[in-house]
Amino acid sequence: MARDKGRDSAGRARRTRPGDRPREVYVFTEGEVTEPEFVEFVMEHGTRAQQGRKINYSIENAAASSSRRKPLPLVQDAVTKLEGARKAARKAGLTPEDWNWPQVWCLFDRDQHRDIPTAFARAEREGVRIAYSHPCFELWRLLHYQNYTSTFGGVCNDAASRLKKQEGFTETYGVSARSVSAEDAKRVKAGQLQRKYKKARQYAEKINARREGRDQTRWDPYTDVWRFVEDGLDVIDY
């Protein structure tokens, strides 16, 4: 039987080229609420660096127990995910040099975790990326309102308390809101972040430049969430 050249050509035309594939970004978060909502906000409101390219993201540990949300278990689970993602990418014809080579990120805080240096070392060795905040993610949110360079003494409650006192913060939970509970404060509202990214990034870079040594537990204060925003999600503003 003669080959149906028209059908064969159509089949080839529909085949996705490696360079046209979206970048798959897999995210593991320590928090169950704040970080996932932040990622959702960035993807909904962010300005992309490369408008014609698509990013697919997923929160990989949405149903994880609290014991798997500490830095080292997060990295361990991320390594397993990255191994599978790399295998699938190679099968699709991608190489590590391609813009859409898959990325796996862990977002976690200093808090009082003891295994942070080990988690960092494992992630660096395996190719998992980290967005780290000391003392906690609330520092990154706080920098959208003000610069802050003093130590928190590793206490997250101090950062969270300062965040709640910022002008206009309470109103983001409703025009009639008079106070915000600790649980409600975990929820990310657009008014807390929109049109403030570049300022927060600038503040973060300045405080990060003051860190000393390679012991991440001593980087107080510190946050490089902006690296995840730009390098992972390809967003340059929101």
Side-chain angles (χ1 to χ4, degrees):
M1 180 181 295
R3 176 177 296 179
D4 187 334
K5 295 182 179 180
R7 183 178 300 172
D8 189 57
S9 297
R12 285 197 298 270
R14 287 194 298 268
R15 190 174 298 121
T16 302
R17 295 175 299 179
D20 294 334
R21 292 178 177 275
R23 175 193 293 166
E24 303 292 341
V25 180
Y26 305 97
V27 188
F28 291 78
T29 67
E30 179 180 352
E32 297 181 51
V33 177
T34 306
E35 292 92 329
E37 289 194 358
F38 172 74
V39 177
E40 183 177 347
F41 166 84
V42 173
M43 293 304 290
E44 181 177 350
H45 298 280
T47 299
R48 289 284 310 281
Q50 304 178 84
Q51 297 293 334
R53 292 176 170 176
K54 186 177 180 181
I55 303 288
N56 288 340
Y57 82 94
S58 61
I59 305 298
E60 288 296 304
N61 64 328
S65 65
S66 58
S67 64
R68 300 304 301 176
R69 290 183 175 274
K70 295 177 173 59
L72 188 54
L74 276 181
V75 171
Q76 291 170 338
D77 292 343
V79 168
T80 300
K81 183 65 185 182
L82 183 57
E83 290 172 351
R86 284 172 170 171
K87 196 172 296 184
R90 291 192 183 95
K91 187 175 181 180
L94 299 177
T95 69
E97 290 72 32
D98 292 323
W99 77 272
N100 50 355
W101 185 250
Q103 296 184 13
V104 178
W105 285 82
C106 291
L107 277 59
F108 60 76
D109 306 334
R110 166 64 179 105
D111 290 332
Q112 300 301 314
H113 301 303
R114 298 181 179 180
D115 54 5
I116 285 177
T118 304
F120 265 90
R122 176 78 188 277
E124 183 177 3
R125 186 169 64 249
E126 302 291 349
V128 169
R129 307 188 187 204
I130 291 175
Y132 174 63
S133 298
H134 190 319
C136 55
F137 193 85
E138 278 63 34
L139 170 60
W140 173 245
R141 297 172 70 192
L142 178 63
L143 294 179
H144 287 70
Y145 287 93
Q146 68 165 88
N147 192 13
Y148 193 88
T149 58
S150 300
T151 177
F152 288 98
V155 180
C156 183
N157 287 345
D158 190 7
S161 176
R162 289 179 181 276
L163 176 64
K164 289 171 62 176
K165 293 176 182 177
Q166 295 302 308
E167 183 177 357
F169 180 83
T170 298
E171 288 75 10
T172 63
Y173 293 88
V175 293
S176 61
R178 294 293 177 266
S179 63
V180 182
S181 68
E183 283 303 309
D184 283 343
K186 293 179 181 180
R187 310 209 74 92
V188 176
K189 303 296 182 178
Q192 302 163 10
L193 304 172
Q194 278 182 311
R195 296 179 294 279
K196 301 176 183 178
Y197 173 74
K198 291 183 178 179
K199 179 174 67 175
R201 184 190 193 279
Q202 181 182 23
Y203 291 157
E205 285 188 288
K206 287 182 177 179
I207 64 173
N208 293 357
R210 299 168 52 205
R211 75 178 189 266
E212 297 180 357
R214 288 184 55 82
D215 184 352
Q216 298 86 2
T217 64
R218 297 181 180 275
W219 297 352
D220 183 10
Y222 180 93
T223 181
D224 59 2
V225 172
W226 61 270
R227 292 189 183 277
F228 165 67
V229 171
E230 297 187 9
D231 298 346
L233 303 181
D234 192 47
V235 166
I236 55 174
D237 199 4
Y238 51 63

